[in-house]
Amino acid sequence: MASPSAFSRLNLLLPKPSLFAANFRRTQFHFFPTLSSRTISSSSSSSSSSSSSLTCSSYSNSSMKELQNPTPKRDNHFVVLGIETSCDDTAAAVVRSNGEILSQVVSSQADLLTKYGGVAPKMAEEAHSQVIDQVVQEALDNAYMTEKDLTAVAVTIGPGLSLCLRVLPWNAQQFFLHYAVGVQKARQIAGSFKLPIIGIHHMEAHALVARLTEKDLQFPFIALLISGGHNLLILARDLGQYVQLGTTIDDAIGEAYDKTAKWLGLDLRRSGGPAIEELAKEGNAKSVSFSVPMKQHKDCNFSYAGLKTQVRLAIESKKIDANIPISSASKEDRLARADIAAAFQRIAVLHLEERCERAIQWALKMEPSIRHLIISGGVASNHYVRSRLDMVVKKNGLQLVCPPPRLCTDNGVMVAWTGIEHFRMGRYDPPPPAEEPENFVYDLRPRWPLGEEYAEGRSDARSIRRARLHPSLTSIIQASSQQ
Ligand code: KG4
Ligand code: ZN
């Protein structure tokens, strides 16, 4: 059985802090001794854990009462710095608890993306390390603040890109080092300025940012989260209470966009998605026929590996040469590429439409009061995706909520905001020590489901190595509230 410290970075256990930053910082908390960190040993690294092995304390009653009140409170008492280094962008933002975005800085690794045609973990880590200090400083400066004005620091601690994770052992932290750049920076600031720290689930942050932009968005709602590494359909019943309706059995849609763009010789500087979206406008989506994935599986899971193969074969059969950039392609060549881009996008999005339609039926059975379906994650900034899903959602009597594109792609605002939502509930870690021991290993969570799987939705097509999963965020929160 794993020790409690193995699951502790997102501390869900502490009494609700004073909401006033100054008071809060003067308060002496008595935290659970090992909760803030762990040093990974060979025994803990193999902790293929189940939620039953969690040892957690309870929320205070007042926190539990607030948990049942889903309306986001719009106080402005505290200010959180959010740091995000989970993929190819280094991002930081300062957000006030009333939802005011005081600053937002994103440094992108566009050149690396173009050079390597995707995210190379080692390169990404180096690039994050080079700019992290500057990005955080700029976020503070733009907010006209110093670290002393902050109430807490929030930072993404998992999960990793699903693509990498299929080949990753549980403890292969070296493939996950780009996360550590952000976590290290967050811990340095929190340690030096005695600030609480909040570990954030990247996909929860993509979902919850919709509550910042849509002030009346209340639980329960459905979220379709579509990015480069993840495809998730969830029912968000309450803060931290998620049911996973569907996930991808192989590649995420963003990965399929990126590869299609690469094979079509498109300019990848803004990543593949926007390049395909642009080019698709010039093409005929019905001129190439691709089949919609997983038609025979009546569930809400996704698969994009097969569509990728169909696209690759079509590109080969039309003798499109990715080494000739689209900017130098002949008129016919450009049109052939545009047709493939349009046909790919149509089918990729049809797959989303079918799954969302079913997810709405499932979710309404569990929570008839649902009014909204939100879409977020990098792919949700795509206008075609938005308009197609808007039709599906409206047809089912719901309303679509899409954060603005700059908050759909990875950013620090979503991390800071999710930190604010959890901080209000008393879920945070105490300030780390000012000096971290040299052998300190950060508690990063490469395989960290957001919620428990919807039992009726389990698919035979999925063969995820469950033993290597970290307990889901929801199971951690539930375990802590039951004690
Ligand atoms: O959420 P995100 O910024 O990072 C991850 O968590 O993965 O998503 C990045 C993904 C990339 O695959 C990128 O190609 C895709 O989002 N993306 C788009 C668009 N903008 C970004 N895909 C389609 N259309 C877009 N306009
Ligand atoms: Zn993301």
Side-chain angles (χ1 to χ4, degrees):
M1 178 161 166
S3 72
S5 59
F7 312 106
S8 63
R9 274 278 315 115
L10 184 65
N11 184 352
L12 311 162
L13 322 170
L14 302 173
K16 196 167 168 282
S18 157
L19 294 182
F20 296 92
N23 286 348
F24 170 60
R25 267 190 245 124
R26 263 185 259 119
T27 310
Q28 182 65 51
F29 286 103
H30 298 286
F31 297 109
F32 296 82
T34 54
L35 281 182
S36 65
S37 60
R38 67 173 168 141
T39 303
I40 295 184
S41 63
S42 50
S43 61
S44 71
S45 63
S46 64
S47 54
S48 52
S49 15
S50 70
S51 52
S52 60
S53 60
L54 292 171
T55 308
C56 295
S57 179
S58 56
Y59 293 121
S60 63
N61 283 341
S62 63
S63 293
M64 282 312 291
K65 262 188 223 126
E66 282 193 49
L67 259 183
Q68 286 145 20
N69 172 6
T71 312
K73 275 203 237 104
R74 293 277 154 181
D75 53 70
N76 62 356
H77 297 316
F78 51 89
V79 176
V80 172
L81 166 70
I83 299 178
E84 160 68 45
T85 62
S86 69
C87 196
D88 49 341
D89 291 331
T90 315
V94 180
V95 179
R96 206 183 276 285
S97 50
N98 63 358
E100 189 186 348
I101 300 171
L102 300 174
S103 66
Q104 177 180 9
V105 179
V106 180
S107 164
S108 103
Q109 297 177 11
D111 295 345
L112 283 180
L113 272 179
T114 315
K115 189 162 169 199
Y116 296 100
V119 185
K122 190 67 196 149
M123 302 294 160
E125 185 216 348
E126 276 169 24
H128 284 305
S129 301
Q130 275 168 21
V131 298
I132 186 78
D133 289 343
Q134 197 187 330
V135 165
V136 169
Q137 193 55 52
E138 226 174 279
L140 289 168
D141 291 348
N142 294 353
Y144 299 103
M145 292 202 167
T146 71
E147 291 87 344
K148 290 189 184 134
D149 300 307
L150 299 173
T151 316
V153 183
V155 61
T156 309
I157 59 169
L161 292 179
S162 63
L163 194 70
C164 306
L165 296 183
R166 274 187 282 131
V167 294
L168 273 189
W170 165 262
N171 61 345
Q173 300 277 334
Q174 69 272 24
F175 286 95
F176 207 51
L177 282 176
H178 46 299
Y179 268 81
V181 175
V183 173
Q184 189 175 27
K185 181 71 185 171
R187 292 182 70 85
Q188 270 166 10
I189 296 176
S192 308
F193 294 87
K194 303 264 173 295
L195 298 168
I197 184 161
I198 311 143
I200 301 295
H201 191 296
H202 182 79
M203 300 313 289
E204 185 189 34
H206 271 308
L208 291 189
V209 76
R211 281 177 36 102
L212 181 156
T213 57
E214 187 69 37
K215 306 234 181 304
D216 299 324
L217 178 61
Q218 297 193 3
F219 295 106
F221 58 82
I222 304 166
L224 171 70
L225 306 176
I226 35 180
S227 67
H230 298 270
N231 246 77
L232 274 180
L233 257 168
I234 59 164
L235 162 61
R237 304 187 104 152
D238 205 337
L239 180 63
Q241 303 301 318
Y242 308 111
V243 179
Q244 182 181 293
L245 304 170
T247 185
T248 182
I249 62 165
D250 42 52
D251 296 325
I253 184 170
E255 153 72 12
Y257 265 97
D258 291 338
K259 281 290 174 337
T260 302
K262 185 178 166 189
W263 296 331
L264 288 176
L266 307 192
D267 181 351
L268 299 178
R269 267 174 300 179
R270 285 190 307 142
S271 77
I276 293 283
E277 183 179 8
E278 271 310 300
L279 184 63
K281 290 180 194 153
E282 299 172 28
N284 174 358
K286 303 243 170 96
S287 65
V288 188
S289 97
F290 296 132
S291 52
V292 182
M294 294 185 82
K295 272 274 190 206
Q296 70 284 18
H297 294 278
K298 305 290 176 212
D299 58 37
C300 293
N301 290 318
F302 302 89
S303 163
Y304 282 96
L307 180 57
K308 260 169 62 182
T309 306
Q310 294 182 60
V311 167
R312 191 171 47 72
L313 294 175
I315 289 172
E316 279 169 17
S317 80
K318 292 194 180 237
K319 307 227 173 335
I320 290 166
D321 182 356
N323 294 318
I324 301 173
I326 184 91
S327 50
S328 319
S330 67
K331 207 169 159 203
E332 301 83 81
D333 186 4
R334 186 180 178 96
L335 193 59
R337 297 186 203 207
D339 285 347
I340 292 178
F344 156 75
Q345 176 163 264
R346 187 173 86 91
I347 299 302
V349 178
L350 254 181
H351 189 28
L352 297 180
E353 291 169 44
E354 289 185 0
R355 288 359 228 184
C356 280
E357 184 104 43
R358 184 170 294 119
I360 292 171
Q361 308 313 324
W362 285 4
L364 283 173
K365 267 199 271 163
M366 284 181 269
E367 297 279 3
S369 65
I370 290 170
R371 294 286 167 268
H372 298 97
L373 185 147
I374 70 130
I375 55 168
S376 186
V379 182
S381 53
N382 180 301
H383 291 92
Y384 178 77
V385 171
R386 288 172 179 233
S387 68
R388 295 294 307 187
L389 290 172
D390 192 44
M391 284 193 284
V392 172
V393 168
K394 281 206 181 106
K395 196 174 90 190
N396 285 279
L398 301 183
Q399 204 184 321
L400 187 73
V401 175
C402 321
R406 78 196 157 87
L407 295 180
C408 281
T409 47
D410 289 351
N411 64 84
V413 172
M414 66 185 197
V415 178
W417 176 253
T418 304
I420 287 168
E421 293 246 35
H422 282 292
F423 187 77
R424 279 200 193 105
M425 298 301 170
R427 299 181 199 139
Y428 51 84
D429 270 354
E435 298 271 324
E436 216 107 66
E438 252 181 36
N439 65 346
F440 189 85
V441 180
Y442 302 110
D443 178 10
L444 304 172
R445 300 173 179 184
R447 295 175 163 272
W448 190 18
L450 189 49
E452 299 305 297
E453 238 178 302
Y454 178 49
E456 285 178 43
R458 288 224 173 95
S459 163
D460 300 341
R462 286 191 62 206
S463 62
I464 293 236
R465 284 180 297 169
R466 302 192 58 77
R468 297 223 166 113
L469 293 183
H470 196 285
S472 74
L473 176 71
T474 296
S475 71
I476 296 173
I477 290 177
Q478 280 171 352
S480 73
S481 65
Q482 277 157 14
Q483 292 195 1

